[in-house]
Amino acid sequence: RSLKQQDSGEFLNQHDQTKASDALPLPLYVTINGLFFTMFFSVMYFLLQRWREKIRTSTALHVVTYSEMAALVSLVASFIYILGFFGFDFVQSILRPSPASWIIEDDNMEEDKPVKPCGQALVPHILPTNSTSEMEVETKKPPPTMEYNSQENEEIVKQVVAGSIPSYALESKLGDCKRAASVRREALERITGKSLTGMPLDGFDYESILGQCCEMPVGYIQIPVGIAGPLLLNGAEFSVPMATTEGCLVASTNRGCKAIYVSGGATCMLLRDGMTRAPVVRFGSAKRAAELKLFLEDPEKFDTLAVVFNKSSRFGKLQSIKCAIAGKNIYIRFCCSTGDAMGMNMVSKGVQNVLDYLQTDFSDMDVMGISGNYCSDKKPAAVNWIEGRGKSVVCEAVIKEEVVRKVLKTSVASLVELNMVKNLTGSAMAGALGGFNAHASNIVSAIYIATGQDPAQNVESSHCITMMEAINDGKDLHVSVTMPSIEVGTVGGGTQLASQAACLNLLGVKGASKEEPGSNSRVLATIVAGSVLAGELSLMSAIAAGQLVKSHMKYTDLPEI
């Protein structure tokens, strides 16, 4: 058998080394390939230039000239040649069986018998067997792991400490992310003279963050995750994961969820859904900046700009363009849908497409930066409070008088009065920007960390105004939160990490929605708003009842309110 396997391997190696291109003499082979490669890229460049010119002049793309028809024919012909010439072996492998199947084994017929009864093959581990096939042995083997002795690691640590190996290059040099983190950690302790004892290293998939979530890791931080709920929202129940180290926060939010649940639930509506990016460009005069503003805001130009913007993604669709001028500088705020992604990278790519396109008619335009802070990202800004960014959501509930009294331990009149003097008047006195609430950022931050969102976007995502009003002759409480800039996604970034993905899965919004792109991220935004509503209800009730200090004495320090 071993000799036959060897002969078979040699035959396959010889077959793999034979290519379709070997049938041609070398000079002719090089000449033909050069000709078709030149033809392919030349006509491709020609067609792209023609397509760009048609977009610029608003000419229909399906109207073609004779030269364009000839270019299309040449493009197809050269593509077929390149595909057929270099993909011939691949096509053959599909149309005919592998040569290995031609080799006939004539060993003892006992080897053809199944190693397991048919029923056991379908349900493994029911009947133990002593004999196993070579295939089963292969599947049972654990994935190979590379082991390194302490002396090898010691040498690398010394080189990192000496500076001969950059710390950031350890992953690429060692080819093992876990080992790179361990070496970097040891080198850091020696350089600083400080111990990292208490920060865990094991039990984390460092491959999952390489080039995506975190550079030069030395371990990870443990943050406990609590569950608030069930939150009854739009007729569905959600168990809300909250990652926090602040005592009483989860318990308080949970009490608010209970008050909402027994009152019939909350209703949440999505008002807008669009991520923004605003580059800043400069001209030689304010007149030229104004001309670009008029060009970009011309409704007749929007469709052409949308085609240019949308070509970088099937989910990123341009919705609007808003411009602001400061002297010779113009700030262009692009807004687009981004599917289930939070979408900053997606919108940035679309913006770059438009900026490149504008250079044709505005060659004197100087792009100062892809972001000019008119977006505005990770900073409190009135433009987000007024225009919205990400998901704009309003969430409301009617809390019955009995629930306010028995669950929240206060009265409707006390809550309405406190909301007026604290969340509205008090915030106005402080000159708050989007901060007309009790502690929306507490809930937003906890959910963001648990579900893999960008914690820094808590700044604008926590913009919230809490309203409370007595209804039904003052017996019941109508409470609402309006949040114009919740920035969340269910794909990309930290959402791919195991723990964060588990929290998204708990909410039923893990990954991208196949049925309705973008629906998972929209549901997540409503869950954030509904949880904020619960948190506002509970904290405001604790303050109105004078229970805040007493309740927090059971846990830790008081939260900032």
Side-chain angles (χ1 to χ4, degrees):
R1 173 183 289 268
S2 60
L3 290 176
K4 290 182 180 180
Q5 289 178 341
Q6 182 177 358
D7 293 340
S8 172
E10 292 176 355
F11 175 80
L12 290 176
N13 289 336
Q14 292 173 0
H15 173 75
D16 291 340
Q17 293 172 359
T18 303
K19 299 180 180 180
S21 58
D22 294 341
L24 293 176
L26 183 60
L28 183 58
Y29 161 72
V30 174
T31 302
I32 292 178
N33 278 298
L35 175 64
F36 276 94
F37 265 106
T38 302
M39 180 188 300
F40 178 80
F41 288 108
S42 297
V43 298
M44 176 65 75
Y45 177 78
F46 171 76
L47 290 173
L48 289 175
Q49 288 292 105
R50 293 292 300 161
W51 181 57
R52 179 179 180 183
E53 181 67 21
K54 287 183 178 183
I55 293 177
R56 191 177 67 84
T57 59
S58 300
T59 305
L61 296 178
H62 65 273
V63 178
V64 295
T65 63
Y66 288 112
S67 60
E68 291 170 347
M69 291 178 62
L72 285 171
V73 172
S74 301
L75 180 68
V76 173
S78 57
F79 177 76
I80 292 175
Y81 169 80
I82 294 172
L83 180 65
F85 194 81
F86 293 102
F88 187 72
D89 290 339
F90 172 72
V91 175
Q92 279 189 336
S93 67
I94 298 176
L95 297 179
R96 71 184 186 191
S98 171
S101 63
W102 301 341
I103 302 175
I104 301 175
E105 297 282 357
D106 55 358
D107 284 347
N108 198 328
M109 292 298 293
E110 290 295 323
E111 296 185 6
D112 293 333
K113 293 181 180 180
V115 295
K116 287 186 179 181
C118 294
Q120 186 182 355
L122 294 174
V123 187
H125 309 302
I126 292 180
L127 296 175
T129 58
N130 294 326
S131 60
T132 54
S133 65
E134 294 176 8
M135 181 64 71
E136 289 175 316
V137 172
E138 286 297 323
T139 57
K140 290 181 180 179
K141 288 182 180 179
T145 57
M146 299 181 67
E147 297 183 356
Y148 304 91
N149 57 46
S150 57
Q151 184 176 358
E152 290 177 330
N153 283 345
E154 179 65 24
E155 289 299 323
I156 298 175
V157 169
K158 290 180 179 179
Q159 293 181 58
V160 173
V161 172
S164 56
I165 297 180
S167 178
Y168 62 81
L170 285 173
E171 279 79 6
S172 59
K173 181 176 180 61
L174 301 179
D176 185 334
C177 293
K178 169 68 181 302
R179 185 187 179 200
S182 177
V183 170
R184 181 181 296 112
R185 181 188 180 109
E186 179 63 28
L188 179 63
E189 290 182 332
R190 296 186 188 183
I191 292 172
T192 62
K194 307 294 183 181
S195 173
L196 290 178
T197 301
M199 178 188 293
L201 176 68
D202 297 327
F204 188 82
D205 182 10
Y206 292 93
E207 299 284 347
S208 64
I209 64 173
L210 180 63
Q212 299 184 70
C213 297
C214 181
E215 298 77 34
M216 296 186 287
V218 294
Y220 59 96
I221 297 297
Q222 296 169 307
I223 302 178
V225 178
I227 299 296
L231 171 67
L232 184 56
L233 182 66
N234 292 340
E237 295 183 11
F238 299 96
S239 296
V240 183
M242 301 176 66
T244 180
T245 56
E246 181 180 322
C248 212
L249 177 59
V250 178
S252 178
T253 307
N254 188 66
R255 183 174 75 149
C257 290
K258 179 181 179 181
I260 293 172
Y261 192 98
V262 297
S263 297
T267 302
C268 197
M269 293 295 295
L270 186 78
L271 307 176
R272 285 185 297 264
D273 183 7
M275 181 50 63
T276 63
R277 173 60 85 197
V280 54
V281 301
R282 176 181 292 175
F283 287 91
S285 65
K287 177 176 180 296
R288 284 292 286 165
E291 290 174 354
L292 177 59
K293 181 180 187 299
L294 296 175
F295 178 89
L296 292 172
E297 295 182 348
D298 184 355
E300 296 183 357
K301 299 292 195 305
F302 182 81
D303 289 342
T304 299
L305 295 173
V307 170
V308 176
F309 185 98
N310 299 343
K311 67 181 181 179
S312 60
S313 172
R314 61 192 180 101
F315 296 111
K317 304 300 179 185
L318 184 64
Q319 296 175 345
S320 64
I321 302 175
K322 180 182 178 66
C323 299
I325 288 182
K328 300 185 294 181
N329 303 320
I330 177 170
Y331 300 82
I332 313 167
R333 195 172 194 254
F334 294 84
C335 181
C336 81
S337 61
T338 57
D340 281 309
M342 184 272 290
M344 285 301 301
N345 292 334
M346 192 182 301
V347 66
S348 296
K349 292 177 182 177
V351 168
Q352 189 62 56
N353 292 339
V354 175
L355 293 177
D356 294 341
Y357 169 78
L358 291 175
Q359 291 286 354
T360 301
D361 291 325
F362 296 89
S363 57
D364 55 336
M365 179 180 70
D366 185 12
V367 179
M368 304 301 295
I370 191 69
S371 174
N373 276 9
Y374 189 53
C375 312
S376 174
D377 188 40
K378 302 171 185 173
K379 292 165 284 292
V383 68
N384 292 338
W385 178 242
I386 298 170
E387 298 289 339
R389 189 172 195 255
K391 276 73 173 170
S392 298
V393 177
V394 60
C395 187
E396 65 177 350
V398 175
I399 310 300
K400 298 177 182 178
E401 180 185 25
E402 183 181 12
V403 176
V404 173
R405 181 166 42 87
K406 292 185 177 181
V407 177
L408 300 177
K409 310 298 183 183
T410 186
S411 65
V412 172
S414 297
L415 281 174
V416 172
E417 184 178 11
L418 178 63
N419 187 70
M420 175 62 69
V421 299
K422 171 181 167 62
N423 288 343
L424 302 183
T425 307
S427 296
M429 291 293 293
L433 180 58
F436 298 89
N437 57 81
H439 70 151
S441 62
N442 256 339
I443 291 86
V444 172
S445 296
I447 298 177
Y448 272 29
I449 295 172
T451 58
Q453 310 304 313
D454 188 340
Q457 290 184 322
N458 164 69
V459 175
E460 61 268 37
S461 295
S462 296
H463 281 180
C464 171
I465 182 168
T466 301
M467 304 291 291
M468 294 186 182
E469 178 184 353
I471 60 173
N472 299 332
D473 297 326
K475 294 182 179 179
D476 300 330
L477 175 71
H478 180 274
V479 57
S480 67
V481 293
T482 305
M483 306 179 70
S485 51
I486 300 178
E487 299 166 352
V488 292
T490 57
V491 295
T495 65
Q496 65 180 343
L497 301 180
S499 300
Q500 289 81 343
C503 291
L504 290 172
N505 188 57
L506 176 66
L507 295 171
V509 295
K510 178 183 175 182
S513 173
K514 297 181 180 179
E515 293 76 17
E516 185 183 353
S519 63
N520 280 355
S521 62
R522 290 192 287 269
V523 170
L524 180 57
T526 62
I527 294 172
V528 171
S531 302
V532 168
L533 182 69
E536 291 287 282
L537 260 178
S538 186
L539 178 58
M540 291 293 288
S541 298
I543 297 175
Q547 297 175 340
L548 181 65
V549 176
K550 182 179 179 180
S551 64
H552 278 84
M553 289 299 291
K554 297 179 182 180
Y555 297 91
T556 56
D557 296 335
L558 297 177
E560 294 183 4
I561 57 173

